[in-house]
Amino acid sequence: MSATNGRPNGQWYPAEWPERIRALAAGELTPVTPRRAATVLLLRDRAGAPPEVHMLRRRASMAFAGGAYAYPGGSVDPRDEAAGGGTEGAGGTEGADALGWAGPSRAAWAARLGTDEATAQGVVCAAVRETFEEAGVLLAGPDARTVVADTSGPDWEADRAALVARELSFADFLARRGLLLRSDLLGAWARWITPEFEARRYDTWFFVAVLPEGQRTRNASTEADRTVWTGAAEAAAGYDRGELMMMPPTIATLRRLQPYATAADALAAAAEQDLAPVLAQARLEAGEIVLSWPGHDEFTKRVAP
């Protein structure tokens, strides 16, 4: 892995942030309402070492975090929140707008994520849908105990492209194939909200999941120019050397993966992770900007006037 960016410790700080922070402090900038989003730390075991995580490098041309390493993810599709509950169990769903669902209930997810049930459904759907759209991995199966073993082939690619283009809703995609979303294969890991002074804001839930047996990742995203499987410790070391650029949520979630010996251990530990939202704070001290993320002192940055 290599993506030298010239920034100390690989931190991602856009050049326009100081100006926008000062504008916000002066009351000249109205914060944008963040869009709900989800991203997934997809894990797999390896012999004699801690698990690997699947990461992609965003194209340098991207307006948001170009050149930074991240995980598959994206915004909630409003249709994911609106889809009605479908029949759970073998046989899939009933009705074109019914969402096949297995695992913890929507109410249980709402309690875990700190949201209402519709929002929780949308966020969980976004996590599963975006993982399929950007990595070709689908956390779904024909019943509550099995997972699709192979998502390769032109028919799968046609459906994936239709999902990306929003020509096909995720509920209809699952119904067409007689599949249930396996919410039990996800574990909520963290929640970060883009700072108020950013032009593009997201309220993002981070999840962990284990790569299903038989499935393989691929770079299916037009937003990424590279994908890689890497150990959390190796990726964090690359960031610390200034070789890999990452946004604060990415490196923070990587560091929290490091204690776990297997992918299953990390998934089991998800239930204990703190989901209190992390939101950057910026203040002016004698004209100097002090930017910090509560609970994450390593990201504190001072910008002289």
Side-chain angles (χ1 to χ4, degrees):
M1 297 173 65
S2 63
T4 303
N5 55 53
R7 295 175 175 84
N9 298 324
Q11 292 180 350
W12 178 77
Y13 291 112
E16 67 271 15
W17 271 14
E19 180 181 352
R20 295 185 64 85
I21 289 171
R22 290 191 173 93
L24 180 66
E28 301 168 353
L29 181 68
T30 301
V32 175
T33 300
R35 298 176 62 181
R36 287 188 289 273
T39 189
V40 177
L41 286 71
L42 194 60
L43 308 173
R44 73 178 184 187
D45 289 318
R46 52 180 175 168
E52 295 178 308
V53 59
H54 179 70
M55 303 190 75
L56 54 84
R57 184 176 64 189
R58 294 175 59 83
R59 294 185 184 277
S61 59
M62 295 299 297
F64 184 81
Y69 278 84
Y71 314 112
S75 299
V76 170
D77 182 340
R79 293 175 297 179
D80 293 341
E81 296 181 344
T87 302
E88 299 186 13
T93 62
E94 295 176 351
D97 295 323
L99 175 66
W101 185 281
S105 68
R106 295 158 178 81
W109 274 109
R112 176 67 178 124
L113 300 181
T115 69
D116 57 64
E117 290 188 25
T119 298
Q121 174 177 293
V123 170
V124 171
C125 279
V128 176
R129 175 178 48 74
E130 290 285 344
T131 301
F132 179 58
E133 288 182 10
E134 297 200 338
V137 170
L138 184 59
L139 304 176
D143 57 53
R145 296 169 300 280
T146 57
V147 186
V148 172
D150 183 13
T151 59
S152 61
D155 59 330
W156 285 102
E157 176 57 24
D159 280 351
R160 191 198 66 79
L163 286 168
V164 171
R166 299 297 180 260
E167 297 168 353
L168 176 67
S169 73
F170 193 57
D172 284 351
F173 162 70
L174 293 176
R176 173 186 297 181
R177 291 184 172 271
L179 298 175
L180 302 175
L181 180 155
R182 289 284 306 275
S183 75
D184 56 311
L185 300 182
L186 289 170
W189 195 253
R191 181 183 179 186
W192 287 65
I193 301 176
T194 309
E196 291 183 332
F197 45 81
E198 244 295 338
R200 296 174 178 82
R201 299 191 64 210
Y202 301 92
D203 183 353
T204 305
W205 281 264
F206 288 72
F207 296 85
V208 293
V210 180
L211 178 70
E213 185 175 354
Q215 293 194 40
R216 295 183 179 182
T217 57
R218 60 190 178 89
N219 184 6
S221 173
T222 58
E223 298 179 355
D225 61 13
R226 186 174 187 232
T227 62
V228 65
W229 282 97
T230 179
E234 293 93 315
Y239 169 89
D240 290 335
R241 291 192 300 267
E243 296 172 355
L244 304 179
M245 183 166 64
M246 299 181 198
M247 293 177 284
T250 307
I251 181 61
T253 50
L254 270 178
R255 295 203 195 284
R256 283 167 63 177
L257 273 180
Q258 291 182 228
Y260 303 102
T262 68
D265 288 344
L267 181 60
E272 304 167 1
Q273 301 302 312
D274 184 4
L275 296 187
V278 180
L279 175 65
Q281 297 177 351
R283 64 185 186 277
L284 297 178
E285 293 183 357
E288 182 181 59
I289 293 172
V290 180
L291 180 60
S292 62
W293 278 259
H296 299 271
D297 293 342
E298 72 168 298
F299 305 129
T300 300
K301 183 178 179 63
R302 291 178 175 268
V303 180

